[in-house]
Amino acid sequence: MSTPTTLPPSVGQVVGPRYREVEVPVRGGDLHVGVWEPEGGGPAPPTVLAVHGITASHVGWAELARQLPGVRIVAPDLRGRGRSRDLPAPYGMPTHADDVAAVLDHLGAGPVVVVGHSMGGFVSLVLADRHPDTVSSLVLVDGGMPLLPPPGVAPDEMAGLVLGPAAERLQMTFPSRAAYRDFWREHPALGPGWTDLTTAYVDYDLVGAEPELRPATRVAALGEDIRELVDGDSVQHALDHLRRPATWLVAPRGLMDEVPPLYPDAARDLWTVRYPAVRMVPVEDVNHYTVIMLAEGAAQVRPHVVEALGEAR
């Protein structure tokens, strides 16, 4: 069912008049979903399922929704994140895949183009494997392919290496929304290109009340999910049995705007050889966040989504 808008004012200004919120029954409660309806409506609008990253929320897709005004964008808050944070464990890629499959069933959508960013790419692959009738094709945005530990780093150590700062943030409290914005303005990947969407994304991430606001993502969800991004069985099975067209977009800089990126040359070379059916496309002059959250990043994702929608017809 649709629910009244409960967004902070800064978020409501960004998501725009096409936006509505939906609650979808899943194991343990309701999954919160943002839906951008297409301009002009119509009985069977083209639909894209957009799946966010490991500590993100559906608000991160607002820029892509701006750039696809004729498309219905269905973007859930994954279990343990955003306004779905209170859904119970276990987490993991199969659980997330089943949750988002329930969203598509609830909305009567499918098969659809699925766009997954970061961990959302992994969820998207497992969705296509577990619920193949829901997916027409995949666009994996700087995610989906297993992360390679650098030489001398064990797989169990990858969580701290890749997401250490994020894990620390999840255990912090903030006296106000302004303080949390200030925290993020110092972030090397998001701070320099700050936009109205950045403000909305950061404001939506907070739960609780002043002076003890905290990030929405559950630490337990982060801990349970991160290990699967390295060598999770469900992800491996999904890649080995991939039956849908898939495009893998790779950013040149990482989570802290650093080089090497999340997928250095060794990872690109390995996965393109092992999975030749997955088309790898480099994205220019963005980092792991701005590939979807800035206009210049979303503008490079958009053509691949449009192409996938055309192939689905």
Side-chain angles (χ1 to χ4, degrees), residues 57-290:
S57 73
H58 79 276
V59 176
W61 294 107
E63 178 58 42
L64 186 64
R66 283 177 178 173
Q67 297 195 20
L68 292 169
V71 176
R72 178 167 66 165
I73 305 292
V74 176
D77 282 344
L78 294 177
R79 182 178 296 260
R81 285 85 176 170
R83 301 305 181 262
S84 303
R85 72 185 306 269
D86 292 331
L87 286 170
Y91 306 100
M93 300 309 111
T95 289
H96 296 311
D98 292 349
D99 284 346
V100 298
V103 171
L104 294 175
D105 181 67
H106 182 83
L107 295 175
V112 300
V113 173
V114 183
V115 183
H117 173 240
S118 192
M119 189 187 81
F122 295 81
V123 175
S124 301
L125 281 164
V126 177
L127 172 68
D129 190 46
R130 292 172 66 88
H131 304 275
D133 292 344
T134 66
V135 178
S136 61
S137 60
L138 300 166
V139 180
L140 311 174
V141 185
D142 218 33
M145 310 304 277
L147 305 181
L148 292 186
V153 176
D156 287 339
E157 298 172 340
M158 275 294 286
L161 182 67
V162 174
L163 285 169
E168 294 172 5
R169 171 175 56 84
L170 299 185
Q171 300 183 64
M172 299 171 66
T173 59
F174 298 85
S176 65
R177 294 189 185 278
Y180 197 46
R181 291 180 188 178
D182 290 343
F183 173 86
W184 274 102
R185 285 185 187 278
E186 298 300 317
H187 195 286
L190 274 180
W194 197 275
T195 68
D196 60 342
L197 173 54
T198 318
T199 299
Y201 176 82
V202 168
D203 283 1
Y204 182 79
D205 189 47
L206 289 172
V207 296
E210 296 183 0
E212 292 193 4
L213 295 164
R214 61 182 58 83
T217 298
R218 298 278 184 185
V219 174
L222 172 69
E224 187 171 334
D225 288 339
I226 182 61
R227 188 64 173 79
E228 290 192 58
L229 310 191
V230 181
D231 56 3
D233 290 341
S234 65
V235 175
Q236 193 64 60
H237 187 276
L239 283 166
D240 290 342
H241 297 84
L242 185 61
R243 291 164 283 179
R244 297 291 182 266
T247 299
W248 178 33
L249 307 181
V250 184
R253 301 192 299 277
L255 280 80
M256 302 296 288
D257 202 46
E258 80 280 18
V259 177
L262 192 63
Y263 292 104
D265 290 343
R268 300 183 192 195
D269 293 344
L270 174 64
W271 300 131
T272 52
V273 170
R274 185 168 298 181
Y275 301 109
V278 178
R279 180 179 57 158
M280 193 275 286
V281 180
V283 182
E284 298 181 358
D285 197 26
V286 293
N287 60 50
H288 184 72
Y289 286 98
T290 59

